[in-house]
Amino acid sequence: MFEQYFDQALTDLHKEGRYRTFFNIERQNGRFPEAVWHRPNGGEQSITVWCSNDYLGMGQHSAVTTAMAKALDNLGAGSGGTRNISGTTSCHVALEAELADLHDKESALLFNSAYNANDATLSTLHKLVPDLVIFSDELNHASMIEGIRRNNGAKVVFKHNDLEDLRQKLEATPENTPKLIAFESLYSMDGDFAPIKAICDLAEEFGAMTYIDEVHAVGMYGPSGGGVTEQLQLAGRIDIINGTLAKAYGVQGGYIACSDKIADAIRSYAPGYIFTTSVSPVIAAGALASVSHLRQDSWLRDKLHRTSSKVRQRLVGLGLPITDHGSHIVPIHIGDPVKCKMISDMLLEDHSIYVQPINYPTVPRGTERLRLTPSPVHTQAQQDQLVESLDKLWSSCALNRQQVAG
């Protein structure tokens, strides 16, 4: 009886050309970004991954894998429960202290993912601060949107990075109303940066708290990897910083860094924190090793930016439709879900290059794209292969060669 609804929903996705296929990719320790694709009809194919969020290749770094192996031997696999019951270990405590210090905050709170951290924290703030209005950038991540709208809290959406629109909306809100501005430092689909200082200025002018998602910047920006806020020396003006351990740090988990009181309140009131088994101490140990390593060693971070800049400039030189904001993310705009999937499939099948198509609801309809993430572990030969393959495909498929406006 109910199967018809699921069948129709899936049929609609196929018709729109945005049905998502999960590829069986086997990463090989020490060889990333090389991987093995287990083809659906059997057989294996060696490929190069160009869309991983393991931005620095830390998922295979010896400092991380050694720490995790040691923790597994000493502590076992799981945490054993929620943080309150039995899921707090010395690994969790040490990691939170390291993250707080990274962002020059009093405290940090570890979650199972940055999605969970955003969702739980933002939804709980609505409960903790009566009549709170959250001002949210229209391109904020789904986890932020979900957290903001949970509990039916008041929200105001402002145009992406539009300071004048934000100012008008702040001015239209009663002066004594509690306010919070929620935004990202680096938006992952276009690779553009937020005007952080100007937003902090507005927050100060209107008495608003600030909440920033640094998920796509921690580990990769700032002298010690503290993100764009560290790079711009603005972390002290942000009330709550959200970050991830699953991208530049190559492991898993998310967190917030903030004052002692905010951390304690979220810890005490957020259902998404209270009732969730904590991350494995093995994961926490690996994350701690990764954060500590990248705080002391900027070599991978520096090489990441050199590699991404070089790849981006070469693709711009070919006239490919790229939005260039100067970040480490290189989006190639297609604008059609069917064509986007076709190019992705051709890259994989014919050139052994793995780049997943990005379509709605991750990005608005009509802005479908390939999202490249050059890394410090992509060799010169792999970069050459990518550029040459894209050039051939754009010519053979008669695709548009025109840079997209930022």
Side-chain angles (χ1 to χ4, degrees):
M1 173 181 176
F2 292 100
E3 290 294 314
Q4 60 180 318
Y5 299 108
F6 306 121
D7 184 59
Q8 184 60 54
L10 293 171
T11 298
D12 291 344
L13 289 178
H14 280 289
K15 284 182 178 179
E16 291 182 41
R18 60 185 186 92
Y19 178 79
R20 300 186 180 205
T21 302
F22 289 177
F23 288 84
N24 186 352
I25 301 296
E26 184 177 333
R27 288 166 50 120
Q28 299 175 306
N29 188 26
R31 295 185 60 189
F32 183 76
E34 293 181 19
V36 174
W37 172 37
H38 295 276
R39 301 173 66 98
N41 297 325
E44 298 179 348
Q45 182 174 331
S46 296
I47 61 171
T48 302
V49 179
W50 276 95
C51 57
S52 174
N53 283 341
D54 186 358
Y55 290 131
L56 300 175
M58 288 300 293
Q60 65 179 3
H61 196 284
S62 60
V64 175
T65 56
T66 299
M68 295 180 74
K70 183 178 179 180
L72 181 62
D73 287 342
N74 293 340
L75 304 173
S79 68
T82 65
R83 290 292 296 275
N84 181 57
I85 295 177
S86 63
T88 296
T89 70
S90 57
C91 293
H92 297 87
V93 173
L95 176 56
E96 287 177 333
E98 185 80 8
L99 292 169
D101 192 56
L102 171 68
H103 295 291
D104 197 24
K105 297 296 183 185
E106 293 177 338
S107 290
L109 207 56
L110 180 63
F111 290 79
N112 288 46
S113 70
Y115 187 109
N116 183 217
N118 272 333
D119 186 10
T121 302
L122 288 165
S123 62
T124 302
L125 287 172
H126 268 310
K127 294 193 298 183
L128 294 172
V129 184
D131 302 319
L132 176 68
V133 177
I134 298 182
F135 296 79
S136 174
D137 187 289
E138 66 179 341
L139 293 188
N140 276 342
H141 190 265
S143 58
M144 300 176 74
I145 295 170
E146 192 66 27
I148 290 168
R149 71 184 178 189
R150 198 182 301 281
N151 299 322
N152 296 315
K155 69 177 185 298
V156 175
V157 178
F158 62 92
K159 296 176 183 177
H160 178 54
N161 281 348
D162 191 325
L163 296 171
E164 185 55 37
D165 188 52
L166 175 57
R167 170 177 285 280
Q168 290 176 4
K169 287 176 166 58
L170 287 166
E171 289 176 339
T173 305
E175 182 178 353
N176 293 329
T177 300
K179 307 173 186 67
L180 179 143
I181 304 172
F183 61 108
E184 300 183 37
S185 64
L186 172 57
Y187 291 84
S188 64
M189 289 300 110
D190 283 325
D192 58 327
F193 297 95
I196 301 175
K197 182 180 181 302
I199 290 177
C200 288
D201 290 342
L202 283 174
E204 184 176 312
E205 180 180 347
F206 289 92
M209 293 176 64
T210 47
Y211 184 107
I212 194 167
D213 180 310
E214 284 260 43
V215 162
H216 291 274
V218 289
M220 294 170 290
Y221 295 83
S224 60
V228 182
T229 50
E230 184 195 29
Q231 180 170 292
L232 300 178
Q233 299 181 353
L234 293 171
R237 301 184 67 185
I238 302 293
D239 293 292
I240 304 174
I241 296 175
N242 168 276
T244 186
L245 302 165
K247 293 181 171 58
Y249 295 121
V251 192
Q252 184 184 348
Y255 63 89
I256 59 169
C258 50
S259 70
D260 284 336
K261 288 189 183 299
I262 292 175
D264 199 15
I266 298 300
R267 178 187 71 86
S268 302
Y269 282 89
Y273 184 85
I274 296 170
F275 299 107
T276 301
T277 298
S278 67
V279 298
S280 163
V282 177
I283 296 293
L288 174 59
S290 186
V291 174
S292 299
H293 178 85
L294 289 175
R295 291 189 72 182
Q296 304 300 322
D297 190 347
S298 65
W299 184 84
L300 283 171
R301 187 158 50 247
D302 296 339
K303 190 176 181 186
L304 164 76
H305 295 297
R306 290 196 300 270
T307 301
S308 61
S309 177
K310 184 165 58 175
V311 170
R312 183 172 60 248
Q313 289 172 10
R314 291 182 68 182
L315 295 178
V316 167
L318 293 175
L320 268 60
I322 291 172
T323 304
D324 184 3
H325 291 288
S327 72
H328 66 283
I329 295 168
V330 183
I332 307 177
H333 289 258
I334 310 295
D336 179 276
V338 176
K339 287 183 179 179
C340 198
K341 181 68 166 62
M342 176 188 72
I343 294 298
S344 173
D345 289 345
M346 293 173 73
L347 281 169
L348 185 61
E349 293 277 358
D350 302 334
H351 300 274
S352 297
I353 291 173
Y354 179 57
V355 185
Q356 270 283 28
I358 305 294
N359 53 36
Y360 179 84
T362 306
V363 295
R365 287 185 173 90
T367 68
E368 293 79 9
R369 68 201 66 183
L370 302 177
R371 177 180 173 274
L372 302 176
T373 54
S375 79
V377 293
H378 281 101
T379 66
Q380 185 61 56
Q382 290 165 343
Q383 296 171 45
D384 293 341
Q385 181 200 19
L386 172 73
V387 173
E388 292 165 6
S389 298
L390 286 170
D391 191 23
K392 290 177 182 177
L393 279 178
W394 246 253
S395 295
S396 63
C397 297
L399 295 171
N400 178 47
R401 290 183 187 257
Q402 182 178 349
Q403 190 171 353
V404 177

